[in-house]
Amino acid sequence: MASAHQENDRPQNIRAIMTFLREHAPFSSMDDSHLAHFAENASIQFYADGDIVLSPDQDVVKRFYVVKQGRIRGERHNDKEDRTETTFEISQGECFPLAAMIGERPTRTLHRADGDTFCLSIGQTAFVTLFAESEPFRDFCLRGVSSLLDQVNRRIQSSAMASIGSSTSLDTPLERYALRNPIVCSPDLPVRKAVARMHENNVGSIIVTDENRIPTGIFTLRDLRTMIAEGTGPLDTPIQQVMTKNPCCLPSHADAFEAAMLMAEHHFAHLCVIDDDRKLIGVVSERDLFSLQRVDLVNLARTIGTATHLRTLVSLRTDVSRLVDAMLAHGADSGQVVKIITTLNDVTVRRVLELNIKKNDPGIPFTWLTFGSEGRQEQTLLTDQDNGILFQTPEGMTAEQVREKLLPFARKVNDELAECGFTLCKGNIMASNPKLCLSDKEWDDWFIRFIDASTPQNLVYSSIFLDMRAIYGPTEPLNDLLDKILTRIRKNALFQKMLAGNAFQRKPPLTMFRNFRYISEGNKHSLDLKRQGLAPFVEAVRVFALANGVETANTLERMDELAKKGVFDPKDANAWKEGYSLIQAIRMRAHQEMLAKGEELTNYIDPDDLNPLDRRILRESFRQAQRLQQKLEVTYQL
Amino acid sequence: MLEQIKQWIEHRRGGKIGSHDPGNLPNPKTPGEQLLTDCRLIVLDLETTGLNPSKDEVIAIGAVAIRGGIIHLGDQFDLILRRPELDIRETVLIHGIGPEALTQGHEIEDALLYLLEWMNGDPILAYHSAFDQKFLEKTLKAQLGYTQPHTWMDVADLMPAFFPNTKTGGKGLDNWADYFGLEVSERHHAASDALATAELTLVALNKARSEGVKTLKGLYDKLHYHRRLQNMHRF
């Protein structure tokens, strides 16, 4: 009876208000009885566009408001420039004023209705009751907006936890493992040749398959040891006579737990993974299963850095993705994670270069450059190659002759990087492109033309070539080059202005009414988090950084430097860093989810798929990008 | 247990059950110099078994109160009447009140007395108020023998009176609600429709204030002026 009355006998309008509140933080985590208390004590007020809701001229704030419909904007007068600035916007489901309500003081910001707006509000008594009785409500009020960041991080953590937690590592279907492309041979191959093949590929086992690729046996190093120690036969014996027949097989949809149990039962270290036709797909080793639980950065970096085969590098890429899961789960922020991904990518690139030099040294020292997001150390799992070569022409050679030697080498490196998962650059911004394999003199000329000519095409490339870093080879040649470029840009006001104008073109995806503006083509309700979300920050920050001689390419570090130099107000810089990081965090979480579902990674998301809190965060982050662009607009009088 | 239920009902109604004094009901107020920023307005919506006041009956009453230009959700009325004898087959799909709900509804006499007390004689606003007025007056007369005239105002007139050239695409509650982007939680639920009507009233009151209409009489006159204007145009 009691519960029935609570659910159904609440008046319709109270239930409706509760349903509305439940859609928004902090109400979404509050008890129903507390929501009912809010609703029963609430008032509804209407404000026409431009009406003042709260003003610093009024007395101590006595009511706590939630926007039911419409929007409130906070206004602050900028005395220096004598104009009114919008400092914040409060949209549907959001609360105000927090600080003034808790501090029992008048508000310091003028709150004005932005369009026709309805607000729900409760008086001080109800507020105090909820504050005392509801922990989520209290937490929210005390931590205010900063808790938004925490909440997002916590959510990212919990979903990442779910994919690496103790239970999951063994729940994972085998098909999600790094199924090494198995080394196979036919039954009649002599043992000597089979072992040579294992050695070549640096593996401890070989699968013997019939003509239909169905596994009939397995031969491991342990079998070889036994064979030699016991003298069971010469090394010319066909492998089928010494292999372990009928190897353990599991279908790809079996999970890691089944595999572990089977291995423990039979003391096997390897299992064949087969498809529905019993054809071999891959091999899972004991090490694969148990390494899953301990992915650590140092170890992973060392393993990548000492890998002796491209094959190993390729398979280690899955570990990188697993590491990202683990880092997110342990509360690393998106800025740290992208840097770590970049670090591991750097190690991989370096190792690919080293292995190629070992095999086929072009004989000329060079600096391997990376551009764009890798240059900014902002790579995520979805990444393509943007690289180039900088060399100093040895005496007695022409740049053209050097290129002849370096280009085939670069081609091979680009291809092998592609195998490691760094997609080939569609725009051919790669070291194997003769236009990007240049001497120091040529690069310098190239940038002079780039800066002085300022064609629209050049401006498109600014996001790539003006974020540059050396990841292999001597760094001084690049530092010298960068010095010259920065000096040239600082002196060239026209180029700065064009750069600013270009950055200003990339508008954050918000409509005039602060709704999401979807990309027009194709998917109707999708936002491109990279191009529409991050790019406005990256591009605007780059303009300020280059104009003010900031050398680092990383967007967050650039913002720090700009705040230090007094170009950005420290508070603004923080808000922008937070906005940028939040979009990045939402993007990375989307990537992890796509990866878990086995989908191809994209930067598109449908905001309708996000929960209301994330939608709100995304909107606020986009708004911060708009503010940053306003600064660009004012500074460069666009 | 029974005591708890009784307490809860009392709490919900804000008054004592069965303690109405039919001979001492609040008197209806006439629109005078009361300030809109002070006075209380009732915004009401009825659900009925049909559209014909001479044969159809009221089955649910929803109302909210506006005081000083603010809707106070603690001051509202949301009751289904106990009328198991009524034939609701034709309209059950509209208001969603089934035979079972009507059996468990509130004693009609008691509910009506409580409504009169709760309204406290304050002016009543409704969307297409003539409909609600006819039904409520008929029911009050039949059940209680109550015939005192209350002040009624039609929100369907109030809106065009203050927003004369607005293109809403129609004259219905839905048209205006859509125009102002209101979300009606459950259309054709008396209380929910009353709340939507009350929200529109807030919009109109805001406009009234900016046009210098300060008193209840001023509002009433504006409404009648609009009505006359409409009637003139008709000929």
Side-chain angles (χ1 to χ4, degrees):
Chain A
M1 175 71 209
S3 68
H5 126 228
Q6 295 209 333
E7 254 326 291
N8 297 321
D9 290 356
R10 280 194 183 114
Q12 165 66 22
N13 289 328
I14 298 295
R15 276 186 280 144
I17 300 285
M18 288 169 68
T19 307
F20 165 77
L21 290 172
R22 252 182 235 125
E23 289 277 299
H24 306 280
F27 309 104
S28 46
S29 30
M30 284 165 65
D31 291 345
D32 268 7
S33 61
H34 296 141
L35 293 183
H37 189 79
F38 188 107
E40 282 159 7
N41 287 281
S43 303
I44 300 176
Q45 264 165 291
F46 172 77
Y47 303 93
D49 184 26
D51 281 1
I52 290 174
V53 180
L54 286 173
S55 147
D57 303 335
Q58 291 164 352
D59 210 358
V60 174
V61 169
K62 287 275 167 57
R63 296 193 78 80
F64 175 78
Y65 298 81
V66 180
V67 178
K68 182 169 182 276
Q69 180 195 326
R71 192 168 52 244
I72 302 288
R73 65 168 188 264
E75 283 180 5
R76 188 176 57 183
H77 191 75
N78 185 329
D79 293 327
K80 236 194 282 175
E81 293 168 36
D82 193 32
R83 63 190 180 95
T84 305
E85 293 178 332
T86 298
T87 54
F88 54 77
E89 276 172 4
I90 304 165
S91 39
Q92 194 175 45
E94 297 181 283
C95 316
F96 67 97
L98 282 171
M101 190 76 192
I102 304 274
E104 298 185 66
R105 57 166 173 82
T107 175
R108 290 181 185 147
T109 319
L110 186 78
H111 290 63
R112 197 188 282 283
D114 191 6
D116 288 349
T117 301
F118 285 90
C119 290
L120 285 167
S121 69
I122 54 170
Q124 217 171 16
T125 318
F127 179 81
V128 168
T129 306
L130 288 176
F131 191 83
E133 289 183 9
S134 168
E135 202 182 314
F137 187 72
R138 183 167 57 242
D139 276 7
F140 179 84
C141 293
L142 289 178
R143 288 192 294 168
V145 181
S146 75
S147 73
L148 282 181
L149 181 61
D150 293 348
Q151 286 192 48
V152 175
N153 279 340
R154 220 177 295 147
R155 203 190 310 269
I156 292 171
Q157 279 175 41
S158 63
S159 71
M161 276 291 194
S163 61
I164 64 141
S166 54
S167 59
T168 338
S169 61
L170 290 176
D171 280 348
T172 319
L174 290 175
E175 61 200 352
R176 271 203 62 196
Y177 282 79
L179 292 178
R180 313 228 153 122
N181 198 7
I183 304 306
V184 296
C185 67
S186 56
D188 52 4
L189 194 75
V191 170
R192 189 193 306 279
K193 284 195 173 168
V195 172
R197 195 173 290 180
M198 287 160 71
H199 180 69
E200 254 167 53
N201 289 289
N202 196 30
V203 293
S205 65
I206 191 164
I207 310 293
V208 185
T209 56
D210 64 15
E211 62 277 14
N212 294 320
R213 211 179 156 80
I214 291 170
T216 56
I218 183 168
F219 186 78
T220 66
L221 290 177
R222 202 161 60 167
D223 296 329
L224 179 70
R225 195 177 65 195
T226 315
M227 189 181 157
I228 289 169
E230 297 181 4
T232 32
L235 288 176
D236 297 324
T237 317
I239 197 157
Q240 59 182 327
Q241 290 177 22
V242 289
M243 70 184 186
T244 307
K245 290 193 174 69
N246 303 318
C248 274
C249 292
L250 276 175
S252 58
H253 50 79
D255 61 30
F257 182 68
E258 285 175 67
M261 292 308 285
L262 210 58
M263 284 181 189
E265 202 179 315
H266 299 285
H267 303 284
F268 292 144
H270 298 85
L271 276 176
C272 299
V273 182
I274 51 172
D275 66 14
D276 292 339
D277 298 317
R278 295 197 54 81
K279 286 200 170 92
L280 184 68
I281 303 173
V283 177
V284 170
S285 74
E286 189 184 3
R287 230 195 57 208
D288 292 336
L289 288 187
F290 296 103
S291 67
L292 191 69
Q293 292 167 347
R294 283 190 303 275
V295 206
D296 99 275
L297 175 63
V298 181
N299 204 8
L300 184 54
R302 192 184 300 137
T303 317
I304 295 174
T306 57
T308 50
H309 285 78
L310 179 63
R311 163 197 304 285
T312 321
L313 284 175
V314 173
S315 71
L316 283 167
R317 300 300 299 168
T318 358
D319 292 353
V320 174
S321 151
R322 234 175 272 149
L323 181 76
V324 172
D325 257 346
M327 303 254 347
L328 289 171
H330 288 111
D333 72 33
S334 62
Q336 290 170 334
V337 176
V338 290
K339 271 202 144 178
I340 281 160
I341 295 178
T342 310
T343 305
L344 291 172
N345 288 350
D346 286 359
V347 179
T348 308
V349 173
R350 263 178 224 134
R351 193 58 194 162
V352 170
L353 284 162
E354 283 162 4
L355 288 174
N356 273 288
I357 287 174
K358 210 188 268 176
K359 263 191 280 179
N360 198 358
D361 190 347
I364 292 157
F366 62 89
T367 306
W368 187 267
L369 306 174
T370 69
F371 308 111
S373 64
E374 197 180 0
R376 290 190 301 273
Q377 299 177 274
E378 287 162 9
Q379 278 183 307
T380 57
L381 293 173
L382 174 60
T383 186
D384 48 346
Q385 299 188 37
D386 287 321
N387 44 42
I389 284 179
L390 163 65
F391 59 83
Q392 280 163 312
T393 320
E395 292 217 16
M397 279 180 92
T398 63
E400 210 48 57
Q401 288 169 326
V402 176
R403 241 189 308 281
E404 253 167 56
K405 284 185 180 294
L406 284 176
L407 285 175
F409 171 84
R411 179 80 252 163
K412 188 99 174 76
V413 172
N414 285 145
D415 288 343
E416 294 197 359
L417 286 174
E419 276 189 64
C420 291
F422 302 90
T423 325
L424 291 171
C425 174
K426 290 190 197 89
N428 199 17
I429 297 172
M430 292 190 289
S432 54
N433 179 348
K435 288 180 190 154
L436 297 174
C437 177
L438 304 176
S439 72
D440 43 5
K441 178 79 184 59
E442 287 170 325
W443 273 116
D444 197 34
D445 289 345
W446 192 93
F447 271 104
I448 291 175
R449 265 178 284 131
F450 183 82
I451 293 164
D452 290 346
S454 329
T455 63
Q457 186 60 28
N458 281 354
L459 289 170
V460 172
Y461 283 141
S462 62
S463 70
I464 300 164
F465 295 113
L466 294 174
D467 299 336
M468 174 163 61
R469 204 159 53 88
I471 61 169
Y472 183 85
T475 52
E476 292 85 56
L478 178 65
N479 291 341
D480 295 345
L481 180 63
L482 274 177
D483 270 351
K484 287 184 202 157
I485 296 170
L486 280 175
T487 316
R488 220 164 270 141
I489 293 177
R490 288 185 77 171
K491 283 190 202 148
N492 190 334
L494 182 68
F495 181 70
Q496 287 178 29
K497 182 159 182 166
M498 288 189 72
L499 213 52
N502 187 54
F504 193 64
Q505 299 291 314
R506 229 189 249 289
K507 294 277 190 280
L510 291 177
T511 63
M512 250 175 72
F513 304 104
R514 302 292 187 273
N515 291 320
F516 292 117
R517 183 163 47 75
Y518 301 107
I519 47 173
S520 43
E521 77 237 47
N523 308 340
K524 218 175 77 207
H525 264 208
S526 68
L527 294 176
D528 184 334
L529 289 181
K530 187 181 173 194
R531 285 189 184 75
Q532 298 180 285
L534 297 172
F537 284 102
V538 172
E539 311 245 308
V541 167
R542 178 185 308 111
V543 178
F544 287 111
L546 294 175
N548 292 283
V550 172
E551 285 186 22
T552 171
N554 181 270
T555 303
L556 292 171
E557 287 172 12
R558 277 175 170 171
M559 287 197 254
D560 279 337
E561 287 293 315
L562 287 165
K564 250 184 243 161
K565 285 177 183 265
V567 180
F568 286 175
D569 174 88
K571 264 194 215 144
D572 284 344
N574 269 335
W576 294 332
K577 278 169 65 185
E578 191 168 308
Y580 174 82
S581 303
L582 288 166
I583 299 174
Q584 187 72 276
I586 289 173
R587 174 180 175 223
M588 290 189 4
R589 193 183 55 209
H591 281 175
Q592 293 301 115
E593 283 169 10
M594 291 170 197
L595 209 62
K597 286 190 215 149
E599 293 169 2
E600 199 185 333
L601 297 186
T602 74
N603 289 311
Y604 296 107
I605 59 144
D606 181 350
D608 294 344
D609 292 344
L610 296 175
N611 62 53
L613 177 68
D614 285 352
R615 265 205 298 279
R616 174 176 157 191
I617 285 168
L618 207 54
R619 207 172 40 226
E620 177 59 23
S621 300
F622 290 155
R623 215 182 59 73
Q624 291 298 341
Q626 285 180 330
R627 286 190 54 231
L628 177 57
Q629 287 200 335
Q630 279 163 17
K631 183 166 175 76
L632 204 62
E633 194 181 4
V634 171
T635 311
Y636 289 96
Q637 294 164 4
L638 297 172
Chain B
M1 187 65 190
L2 195 68
E3 197 51 40
Q4 279 178 325
I5 297 169
K6 207 169 152 191
Q7 269 178 6
W8 162 69
I9 293 173
E10 278 174 24
H11 168 76
R12 254 191 75 183
R13 298 173 148 203
K16 285 218 181 303
I17 201 161
S19 68
H20 310 289
D21 182 356
N24 197 14
L25 287 167
N27 284 321
K29 293 162 194 160
T30 46
E33 297 305 312
Q34 301 102 309
L35 289 175
L36 288 173
T37 47
D38 288 341
C39 71
R40 182 168 177 267
L41 303 169
I42 302 299
V43 184
L44 174 134
D45 187 75
L46 304 176
E47 294 306 323
T48 60
T49 55
L51 296 174
N52 186 346
S54 59
K55 85 173 203 280
D56 289 313
E57 297 289 343
V58 177
I59 51 178
I61 306 172
V64 297
I66 297 176
R67 247 182 302 136
I70 300 172
I71 300 168
H72 298 272
L73 288 166
D75 190 10
Q76 60 168 317
F77 194 95
D78 182 0
L79 286 183
I80 294 177
L81 302 179
R82 170 138 73 179
R83 314 198 80 169
E85 77 284 3
L86 295 181
D87 181 0
I88 46 140
R89 278 171 304 184
E90 282 177 26
T91 48
V92 63
L93 289 178
I94 295 176
H95 44 63
I97 300 170
E100 196 191 351
L102 285 183
T103 323
Q104 293 168 352
H106 289 260
E107 285 298 347
I108 182 158
E109 208 170 298
D110 200 41
L112 291 173
L113 282 170
Y114 172 49
L115 176 67
L116 287 169
E117 279 177 354
W118 177 78
M119 292 201 299
N120 196 32
D122 292 316
I124 308 168
L125 286 81
Y127 206 92
H128 294 315
S129 60
F131 174 87
D132 300 87
Q133 186 177 356
K134 269 182 209 144
F135 269 99
L136 190 63
E137 282 174 352
K138 163 196 147 172
T139 310
L140 286 169
K141 189 175 176 192
Q143 299 287 332
L144 305 175
Y146 179 94
T147 52
Q148 292 214 55
H150 283 251
T151 301
W152 286 78
M153 285 187 259
D154 194 345
V155 180
D157 287 335
L158 199 61
M159 297 313 290
F162 283 104
F163 300 92
N165 297 315
T166 309
K167 301 246 181 311
T168 55
K171 292 179 176 178
L173 174 59
D174 287 329
N175 300 113
W176 284 99
D178 283 350
Y179 180 79
F180 285 105
L182 303 182
E183 275 186 30
V184 186
S185 66
E186 197 174 330
R187 193 72 174 86
H188 298 296
H189 182 294
S192 175
D193 284 355
L195 184 61
T197 309
E199 287 180 346
L200 286 178
T201 308
L202 291 194
V203 178
L205 290 175
N206 183 289
K207 192 74 188 300
R209 197 184 55 214
S210 67
E211 288 184 6
V213 178
K214 291 200 176 82
T215 63
L216 199 55
K217 186 164 184 303
L219 192 70
Y220 198 75
D221 290 348
K222 172 105 185 172
L223 210 58
H224 277 256
Y225 176 72
H226 171 78
R227 263 251 134 109
R228 275 210 307 278
L229 216 61
Q230 291 295 105
N231 288 337
M232 271 163 57
H233 284 308
R234 210 169 286 167
F235 297 108

